[in-house]
Amino acid sequence: MDIVTNKIVVEKYNFETTMEENQPFENKIELEVHEVEPVDGNVELMAKGKIFKITIPFLLVLENFRIDGRISRIIQLKDFFGQFSDLEAKDVEGLSNPLIDYIKRLTYDVTEIAFDEPGVSLDFNANHNG
């Protein structure tokens, strides 16, 4: 699959070591996908394939800190004109993994600095629903 990718954007990344006691948090990492059209209605660009914005909102509570945020990227799938849901799971994973890697990298670097020790390495497993 031929893919044109824009840069990854960290829309929000929040790190907290102070958490309120007895406040329930549920770990979540999600995948949101929205079809995008160029603002100027560039028909030539759209004729090359569908454009999507992939966003990963997340909230993770670990032993002594929590992180939450949103990371996104706009991609164009060349010669693909179907729905994002038509893609195979391995293709969706390939498109979302670079964003997940950003979350891992940010968390490692921030915790390394915040705790003045080796950073925390996150490990995610794909969960395919349907």
Side-chain angles (χ1 to χ4, degrees):
M1 179 180 304
D2 192 15
I3 304 164
V4 176
T5 59
N6 287 5
K7 68 179 185 168
I8 293 175
V9 176
V10 178
E11 296 178 14
K12 173 185 170 188
Y13 184 89
N14 183 50
F15 168 86
E16 293 179 61
T17 57
T18 307
M19 298 180 285
E20 295 178 27
E21 292 292 324
N22 301 321
Q23 187 168 354
F25 291 106
E26 182 178 335
N27 287 338
K28 67 177 182 171
I29 185 162
E30 300 174 319
L31 174 67
E32 295 177 357
V33 179
H34 301 282
E35 194 170 329
V36 176
E37 294 194 24
V39 286
D40 58 0
N42 187 337
V43 177
E44 186 178 310
L45 181 63
M46 296 306 294
K48 294 178 182 178
K50 289 258 184 123
I51 301 172
F52 298 97
K53 180 178 182 183
I54 299 173
T55 304
I56 305 223
F58 60 93
L59 168 63
L60 300 169
V61 180
L62 292 121
E63 188 174 327
N64 52 354
F65 69 95
R66 74 173 242 166
I67 57 171
D68 65 274
R70 293 175 60 85
I71 301 206
S72 65
R73 170 185 258 177
I74 294 178
I75 59 152
Q76 183 173 32
L77 303 176
K78 294 283 191 128
D79 300 319
F80 178 81
F81 300 97
Q83 299 301 310
F84 195 84
S85 59
D86 297 337
L87 295 173
E88 293 183 28
K90 68 177 177 69
D91 293 326
V92 172
E93 218 172 289
L95 294 169
S96 61
N97 277 345
L99 284 77
I100 300 292
D101 289 343
Y102 248 60
I103 296 169
K104 290 177 181 179
R105 182 175 161 203
L106 279 165
T107 302
Y108 185 90
D109 289 348
V110 168
T111 55
E112 181 177 45
I113 293 166
F115 300 132
D116 194 23
E117 57 187 45
V120 174
S121 296
L122 298 176
D123 184 23
F124 298 111
N125 294 312
N127 181 12
H128 305 290
N129 294 330

